[in-house]
């Protein structure tokens, strides 16, 4: 097992990254980058941005509310992972 993946012990589905993930991260809105800086799971910039846009629309442009929705989604994913392992 490579050194990079040794710390990722999750039953959640992982996809292959395409393109430059750091460039994609740099293009994200600052509130989303701040949220990603403190998360537990390795979110791809694409999936985080897709959910961010959806949640931002649901929260009528409220970035704090959108971040709260993302945190809830992450907690659900962590709970699902705990049940699988």
């Amino acid at each position: 097992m490579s050194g990079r993946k040794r710390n990722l012990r999750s039953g959640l589905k992982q996809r292959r990254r395409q393109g430059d993930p750091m460039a994609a991260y740099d293009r994200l809105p600052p509130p989303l980058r701040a949220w990603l800086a403190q998360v537990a799971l390795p979110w791809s910039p694409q999936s985080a941005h897709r959910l961010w846009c959806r949640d931002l629309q649901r929260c009528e442009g409220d970035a704090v509310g959108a971040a709260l929705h993302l945190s809830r989604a992450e907690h659900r994913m962590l709970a699902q992972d705990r049940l699988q392992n």
Side-chain angles (χ1 to χ4, degrees):
M1 185 179 295
S2 72
R4 288 187 322 161
K5 294 187 179 193
R6 212 176 3 195
N7 292 333
L8 292 177
R9 298 188 65 100
S10 172
L12 297 175
K13 193 172 17 172
Q14 294 181 14
R15 295 187 179 162
R16 221 162 154 62
R17 292 187 179 136
Q18 295 179 353
D20 183 0
M22 286 308 293
Y25 177 84
D26 290 340
R27 288 189 300 269
L28 295 175
L32 178 54
R33 287 197 317 257
W35 182 81
L36 283 169
Q38 54 82 38
V39 298
L41 294 173
W43 289 77
S44 74
Q46 293 82 9
S47 65
H49 190 254
R50 183 178 55 248
L51 290 175
W52 174 260
C53 289
R54 182 195 69 191
D55 292 338
L56 199 58
Q57 187 175 22
R58 286 181 181 173
C59 295
E60 300 174 355
D62 177 26
V64 174
L68 182 61
H69 279 272
L70 285 172
S71 293
R72 288 180 184 154
E74 182 176 49
H75 287 288
R76 283 192 304 270
M77 292 170 68
L78 287 168
Q80 178 184 5
D81 187 45
R82 276 192 297 271
L83 291 174
Q84 289 177 358
N85 290 327

